[in-house]
C-alpha cells in the first residue's frame, strides 16, 4: 500500500470513536510512559498552551484532563483556526466539564503574574507553529513551579505533510534566539511553500484545496499562525530542552504522527542564557 494511504488510514482510525479497541493500539506506547509519571499530574494544577486537545482526554494517550485538579488554557488569539477563546472565561472540554480559566496571551511572553503558578504545562502540536522556539520554551519554563513538569508533543515529520522538509538544527534554534526572532519571521516561508506535501495534508478546519491556496495561507501566517515554522527531530528537541533548563524524563514516537517528551524544570539557570550574547 502507498505510504500516503497508510498515513491517512491511520489518521482515520485514530479519529473514529466507534473503534476504541483499535485506537488503543495507537496510544499504548505513550500511555505507558505517562502512567509511570502520573504522579506529576495527578491532582496537580496545570496550564495548556493551545488546545483543547483530544490527546489529553480520557481516551487519549495522556489523560491529564481527568487526572489534574485544574488546567488553565492559553491561546495567542481569541479566534484561532482550531477554536474560539474568551479571555477570563471558563476552559471547558467535552460534556461541558470545566477545567480552569482561558487566557488570551502570547505564551512566548508570559507576564510576571503567571510566573511559577503551575505544577505542569502541556501542549500538543503547538511548538512547531512558533518562530521563536527558545523564547517560548523559556517563557513556558517561567510559569512552572520549582521541579514542575512540561509535556510537549510535536509532529513526527515522517508521517506528516512536512516529510520532504529538512529538520531544523540545534544551531538554527540557538541562532534564532540570539537574533531575537519574532513571530513575524518569514525565514522558512519559501521552503514551507515549496516542500509542503499537499497530498498528505488532511488538516481539519483548514480546507487547503491547491498549492496556490497553500501559498496564500503561508503568506498570511501573521494572522493565522497556521504554518509549521520548524521541523523537530526528537533528539534535537531533547537537547534544546536541556539547554533551556529542563531535564528529559521520557520521550516517545508513536503513530499516527507524534513525538512526545516529558521533562522537568531544573533549578539551575538555563545554559542557553549563560551562553547567549
Amino acid at each position: 500500500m502507498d505510504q500516503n494511504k497508510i498515513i491517512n488510514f491511520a489518521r482515520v482510525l485514530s479519529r473514529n470513536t466507534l473503534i476504541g479497541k483499535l485506537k488503543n493500539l495507537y496510544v499504548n506506547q505513550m500511555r505507558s510512559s505517562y502512567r509511570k509519571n502520573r504522579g506529576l499530574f495527578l491532582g496537580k494544577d496545570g496550564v495548556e498552551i493551545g488546545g483543547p486537545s483530544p490527546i489529553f482526554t480520557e481516551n487519549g494517550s495522556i489523560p491529564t484532563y481527568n487526572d489534574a485538579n485544574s488546567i488553565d488554557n492559553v491561546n495567542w488569539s481569541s479566534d484561532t483556526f482550531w477554536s474560539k477563546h474568551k479571555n477570563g472565561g471558563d476552559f471547558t472540554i467535552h460534556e461541558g466539564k470545566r477545567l480552569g480559566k482561558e487566557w488570551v496571551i502570547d505564551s512566548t511572553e508570559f507576564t510576571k503574574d503567571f510566573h511559577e503558578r503551575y505544577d505542569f504545562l502541556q501542549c500538543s502540536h503547538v511548538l512547531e507553529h512558533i518562530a521563536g522556539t527558545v523564547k517560548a520554551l523559556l517563557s513556558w519554563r517561567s510559569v512552572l513551579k520549582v521541579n514542575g513538569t512540561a509535556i510537549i508533543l510535536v509532529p513526527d515529520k515522517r508521517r506528516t505533510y512536512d516529510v520532504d522538509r529538512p529538520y531544523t538544527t540545534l544551531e538554527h534554534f540557538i541562532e534564532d534566539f540570539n537574533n531575537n526572532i519574532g513571530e513575524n519571521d518569514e525565514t522558512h516561508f519559501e521552503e514551507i511553500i515549496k516542500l509542503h506535501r499537499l497530498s498528505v495534508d488532511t488538516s481539519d478546519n483548514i480546507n487547503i484545496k491547491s498549492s496556490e491556496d497553500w501559498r496564500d495561507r503561508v503568506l498570511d501566517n501573521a494572522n493565522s499562525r497556521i504554518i509549521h515554522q520548524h521541523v523537530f527531530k526528537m533528539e534535537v528537541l531533547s537537547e534544546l530542552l536541556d539547554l533551556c533548563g529542563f531535564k528529559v524524563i521520557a520521550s516517545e514516537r508513536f503513530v499516527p504522527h507524534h513525538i512526545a517528551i516529558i521533562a522537568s524544570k531544573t533549578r539551575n539557570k538555563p545554559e542557553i542564557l549563560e551562553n547567549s550574547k
Side-chain angles (χ1 to χ4, degrees):
M1 184 182 289
D2 178 82
Q3 183 189 26
N4 293 343
K5 291 181 179 179
I6 294 173
I7 292 169
N8 290 332
F9 180 62
R11 286 180 175 143
V12 170
L13 285 180
S14 67
R15 293 169 181 169
N16 192 327
T17 57
L18 300 178
I19 51 175
K21 290 184 179 180
L22 284 175
K23 185 175 179 180
N24 285 335
L25 295 173
Y26 295 92
V27 302
N28 283 345
Q29 286 174 280
M30 192 58 206
R31 271 191 178 243
S32 176
S33 291
Y34 176 75
R35 285 169 179 163
K36 290 176 183 176
N37 296 284
R38 191 180 178 209
L40 299 171
F41 306 92
L42 190 62
K44 305 290 187 179
D45 297 319
V47 60
E48 179 173 5
I49 311 299
S53 309
I55 205 160
F56 298 126
T57 62
E58 182 179 5
N59 293 322
S61 307
I62 308 159
T64 52
Y65 291 159
N66 272 27
D67 286 350
N69 175 57
S70 70
I71 300 177
D72 286 345
N73 179 245
V74 169
N75 275 283
W76 71 279
S77 170
S78 60
D79 187 11
T80 63
F81 69 83
W82 57 90
S83 57
K84 295 185 182 299
H85 314 276
K86 181 180 179 181
N87 193 43
D90 288 342
F91 178 44
T92 59
I93 56 169
H94 59 91
E95 299 176 349
K97 179 180 179 181
R98 181 185 179 278
L99 291 173
K101 289 289 186 182
E102 285 191 322
W103 303 109
V104 178
I105 301 169
D106 188 334
S107 71
T108 67
E109 298 179 342
F110 271 114
T111 54
K112 288 186 178 180
D113 52 315
F114 281 89
H115 286 190
E116 298 191 355
R117 180 186 290 195
Y118 300 105
D119 298 303
F120 70 91
L121 177 147
Q122 64 186 34
C123 66
S124 176
H125 293 246
V126 172
L127 190 60
E128 68 275 10
H129 293 277
I130 296 175
T133 308
V134 171
K135 185 179 179 181
L137 290 175
L138 292 174
S139 179
W140 296 359
R141 182 182 185 275
S142 73
V143 305
L144 291 173
K145 298 176 183 177
V146 176
N147 299 321
T149 306
I151 185 160
I152 298 172
L153 287 88
V154 295
D156 183 346
K157 80 148 187 170
R158 300 171 303 171
R159 299 182 174 90
T160 74
Y161 50 69
D162 288 328
V163 63
D164 297 323
R165 291 181 61 192
Y167 289 111
T168 307
T169 65
L170 183 65
E171 292 74 20
H172 185 92
F173 286 122
I174 295 171
E175 182 180 358
D176 278 355
F177 177 63
N178 288 333
N179 291 331
N180 196 29
I181 291 297
E183 294 312 302
N184 60 346
D185 184 58
E186 299 181 2
T187 300
H188 301 281
F189 277 18
E190 286 307 312
E191 170 198 309
I192 292 166
I193 292 168
K194 180 181 179 181
L195 299 180
H196 186 80
R197 183 85 70 89
L198 192 63
S199 62
V200 182
D201 191 347
T202 59
S203 304
D204 294 330
N205 305 323
I206 298 176
N207 195 26
I208 302 297
K209 297 178 180 178
S210 66
S211 55
E212 290 76 18
D213 189 18
W214 175 241
R215 171 179 280 276
D216 290 342
R217 299 298 180 95
V218 172
L219 296 178
D220 189 47
N221 188 65
N223 296 314
S224 67
R225 300 199 187 179
I226 196 174
I227 68 170
H228 291 179
Q229 292 276 9
H230 300 291
V231 180
F232 289 94
K233 197 170 190 177
M234 186 167 70
E235 294 77 9
V236 172
L237 181 54
S238 295
E239 291 180 72
L240 194 60
L241 283 164
D242 183 67
L243 284 174
C244 291
F246 291 90
K247 179 181 179 181
V248 174
I249 298 171
S251 57
E252 298 281 356
R253 293 184 183 90
F254 61 107
V255 292
H257 50 251
H258 303 295
I259 292 172
I261 293 182
I262 302 175
S264 61
K265 176 180 176 178
T266 63
R267 292 177 176 270
N268 299 330
K269 182 179 180 180
E271 184 179 341
I272 199 162
L273 294 179
E274 300 281 3
N275 299 333
S276 62
K277 294 178 182 178

